[in-house]
Structures are given as structure tokens and as C-alpha cells.
Amino acid sequence: MDVLTKNFSLYGKGFLGTVELTFYASAVALVLGFLMASFRVSPVGSFRALGTVWVNVLRNTPLTLLFFAVLLGLPRFGLVLPFKLFAVIALGCYTSAFICEALRSGINTVPTGQGEAARSLGMTFNQTLSAVVLPQAFRSVIPPVGSTLIALAKNSAIAGAFSVTELLGTYKTLSELGYDIIWTFIWIALGYLIITLTISAVFNLLEKYWGVAR
């Protein structure tokens, strides 16, 4: 217990760092995921190709390698940002590929007749997607999107290796101070459990009110 009580501020700083990373990266992932899902089902071939390349490249790239590419590659193009922002970009872009596929699978569950009926009424592709297809698809993708964001929260631990303040990185300081490594990791694991259970609870509520009855 001394590990936590004597280093509560350190744990708190790491916990808040992980929460911030998870929140901002989730926002990036949801926006990009929605955009790429729209591209994937677009009637414009160039958009579909861009969405396909985005998903296939990011889903098949190790996250650690993507961190290196962002942190070392972007400054070469004159884009110098704080490490935390680089971490948000890497996590958000990586997770957006999985969000995109979750949304696309939801879109595919909507009967094609729905889109055809909307187009017969003179609605454009964007109007059909936003007003007819996505509201129905949203109901079926709540669980997989929630699972993906839980994975994002756990993946944020990689940021600690790149000088970003987050929960897992606290073990380095505590280990140097001579604390028991087992209890150090137990409290770290508890912190991640709180974050993931909170995300799970939020999406359980969303599923309760908007999910598809099974």
C-alpha cells in the first residue's frame, strides 16, 4: 500500500496523462474513422482507393513503428510538436483504421433498399449517408467501437517509451526508488482497469438506449 500512498501524486499524474491521451486520440480516431468509412463506401473511385489504402496500411503497421514514423518523420517536414501531440496523432490515426472498418461493417448491415429509396427521392450521396444510412448503422456498431476505444486506452502505454507522461511509465521512477515491482504494476493495472471499465460503462449505456435489440 505504501507504493500508492507515498507516490499518489506520481500515479495521479500518470493516470491523468493516460486519460488525456485516450480522450484526445479517441476524438481523432472517431473523426478520421468516420471520414474514411465515408470514403470506403463512396461512389467516387479515388475516395474508395484512399480509404482502402489508409485502412490496409495502418491496420498492418505495428503501432510502435507508427510512433517512430510520426515522432521522427514529421519533424523532417518542419512539423515540430510536443511529444504528447505526436502520440495523439499516432494513436488516433492507428485506431481510426479499426473504427473505419467497424463503421463500414455497420453500414453494410443497412438494407440496400434504404439507400435506393433515398436516392429515388432525389437525395444526394452525402444526404443519404448522413440522414438515412449512418443513423441506422450507428446502432449496430456501438459494441465494436467501444471495444476499439478500450484497446486504444491500453495501447496508449506505448507512449511512455517516447517521453510522454502516462500511467505505465510511472514504473520506471518507482523501480529506481526501490519499490516492489509487483505492487507497482498492481496499482498501474488498477488504473487501467478504471479507465477501461469507464469506457465500457459509457458504451453499455449507449447500447442500452440506441443499440439494436437482439
Side-chain angles (χ1 to χ4, degrees):
M1 194 67 179
D2 288 348
V3 179
L4 178 65
T5 56
K6 292 183 179 179
N7 301 279
F8 191 78
S9 61
L10 180 63
Y11 271 113
K13 188 176 180 180
F15 180 83
L16 291 177
T18 295
V19 170
E20 287 181 1
L21 274 176
T22 301
F23 178 80
Y24 292 117
S26 295
V28 171
L30 289 170
V31 171
L32 286 178
F34 169 78
L35 181 62
M36 291 302 158
S38 300
F39 284 179
R40 292 275 274 163
V41 298
S42 171
V44 181
S46 57
F47 283 172
R48 289 199 306 274
L50 176 59
T52 300
V53 170
W54 180 273
V55 169
N56 287 333
V57 169
L58 291 176
R59 287 180 69 187
N60 294 289
T61 300
L63 182 54
T64 304
L65 180 59
L66 185 59
F67 264 88
F68 276 113
V70 170
L71 268 72
L72 301 180
L74 292 183
R76 291 179 177 270
F77 296 95
L79 188 59
V80 180
L81 301 170
F83 278 6
K84 178 172 285 189
L85 190 50
F86 278 131
V88 167
I89 293 172
L91 279 170
C93 289
Y94 177 78
T95 308
S96 70
F98 297 90
I99 296 290
C100 169
E101 288 302 274
L103 291 175
R104 188 170 72 93
S105 67
I107 291 172
N108 289 336
T109 65
V110 179
T112 55
Q114 298 282 328
E116 292 172 355
R119 286 192 293 273
S120 69
L121 294 174
M123 298 177 69
T124 64
F125 171 77
N126 289 335
Q127 291 172 331
T128 301
L129 187 65
S130 61
V132 177
V133 177
L134 284 178
Q136 297 181 70
F138 170 75
R139 301 175 64 199
S140 64
V141 302
I142 294 173
V145 169
S147 297
T148 302
L149 295 185
I150 287 173
L152 183 154
K154 293 183 287 186
N155 287 338
S156 67
I158 296 176
F162 296 89
S163 303
V164 177
T165 301
E166 52 78 44
L167 189 56
L168 183 61
T170 59
Y171 90 91
K172 299 176 184 177
T173 302
L174 295 174
S175 178
E176 292 172 356
L177 293 175
Y179 286 101
D180 189 329
I181 195 68
I182 295 178
W183 281 104
T184 297
F185 278 111
I186 286 176
W187 292 117
I188 289 173
L190 182 60
Y192 279 107
L193 187 62
I194 292 171
I195 293 171
T196 56
L197 287 179
T198 300
I199 297 173
S200 179
V202 169
F203 277 85
N204 283 339
L205 287 175
L206 291 175
E207 187 177 10
K208 178 180 177 181
Y209 287 105
W210 288 302
V212 177
R214 302 185 186 281

